[in-house]
Amino acid sequence: MTSLKRPFQEMEQQGEQEGLPVIVKLICPVDRTGSIIGKGGEVIRQIRQETGAKVKVEDVVTGHPDRAVTISAPDRQRLMSRVLEVDGLDGRPVIPEQATVQLIVDRGFIGTIVGRAGASVNGIKNDCGVTLHINPPIPSPLVAPEEQICKISGPYPGLKKAVHLLLERVREALQR
């Protein structure tokens, strides 16, 4: 098993000490990780150089269709684009109109994301035109016991905005 089970808050604290933004963990289908890594690591190396990102694509878990990707960078959206893109008719990557992203969130931030009586999560859903569901805790080789999966689906521009708003809520909670 990889270091994936390392507590999210511990990674957040390390990121803050290094002057980095909120660390994001997301679930990526195994067949899409190639678009993040690239041939011989070319794409991930380019993303790291251009954005200053720290990106870790976790090892494949035998029999599991997904991998976890841990990101710490100002330009998380670019990497998210690489996860969500599909091959177009000309073989070049294209961002789909509708998409789904699964973020791995520390359980301690779920209340912040949901807000009082669901106000925050409902605001994100309404502002962005997305569906947002926080899965109940389930045993998974990709998710530590103190984490949960937050699944966001909808039109790509709304999805990007929803991820940004959700991460801002987490960042605000860390600052308090």
Side-chain angles (χ1 to χ4, degrees):
M1 178 91 17
T2 66
S3 63
L4 187 61
K5 298 290 186 172
R6 186 171 154 208
F8 186 84
Q9 286 180 320
E10 180 183 319
M11 292 188 301
E12 289 288 355
Q13 290 166 354
Q14 178 185 351
E16 283 186 342
Q17 290 167 1
E18 295 172 1
L20 299 172
V22 173
I23 293 172
V24 178
K25 287 173 57 178
L26 58 94
I27 294 176
C28 178
V30 169
D31 63 349
R32 298 304 316 149
T33 54
S35 71
I36 295 172
I37 299 168
K39 193 175 278 186
E42 177 183 324
V43 173
I44 199 167
R45 201 170 18 260
Q46 181 182 4
I47 291 171
R48 286 174 176 155
Q49 287 174 344
E50 290 177 7
T51 66
K54 290 188 178 186
V55 181
K56 179 165 178 31
V57 179
E58 302 292 344
D59 294 336
V60 174
V61 176
T62 305
H64 205 283
D66 301 312
R67 291 172 86 170
V69 179
T70 305
I71 310 160
S72 177
D75 191 1
R76 293 176 298 272
Q77 298 296 343
R78 178 163 180 222
L79 190 66
M80 190 172 76
S81 299
R82 299 295 289 192
V83 171
L84 298 174
E85 68 192 12
V86 294
D87 294 328
L89 296 175
D90 60 359
R92 298 180 76 184
V94 179
I95 299 295
E97 289 182 28
Q98 298 282 321
T100 298
V101 68
Q102 296 183 80
L103 299 174
I104 300 171
V105 180
D106 187 283
R107 200 172 293 152
F109 296 118
I110 298 299
T112 298
I113 293 167
V114 172
R116 187 166 300 196
S120 178
V121 76
N122 288 331
I124 291 172
K125 292 190 310 192
N126 293 335
D127 288 349
C128 303
V130 298
T131 60
L132 193 155
H133 180 74
I134 299 171
N135 296 344
I138 53 169
S140 168
L142 301 180
V143 183
E146 62 276 351
E147 298 171 329
Q148 284 180 252
I149 297 173
C150 180
K151 183 176 179 178
I152 308 170
S153 300
Y156 183 72
L159 182 73
K160 278 178 50 175
K161 183 178 178 183
V163 169
H164 174 76
L165 292 173
L166 187 143
L167 294 176
E168 284 304 309
R169 299 277 306 163
V170 171
R171 187 185 327 263
E172 289 167 8
L174 283 170
Q175 290 175 345
R176 283 182 266 175

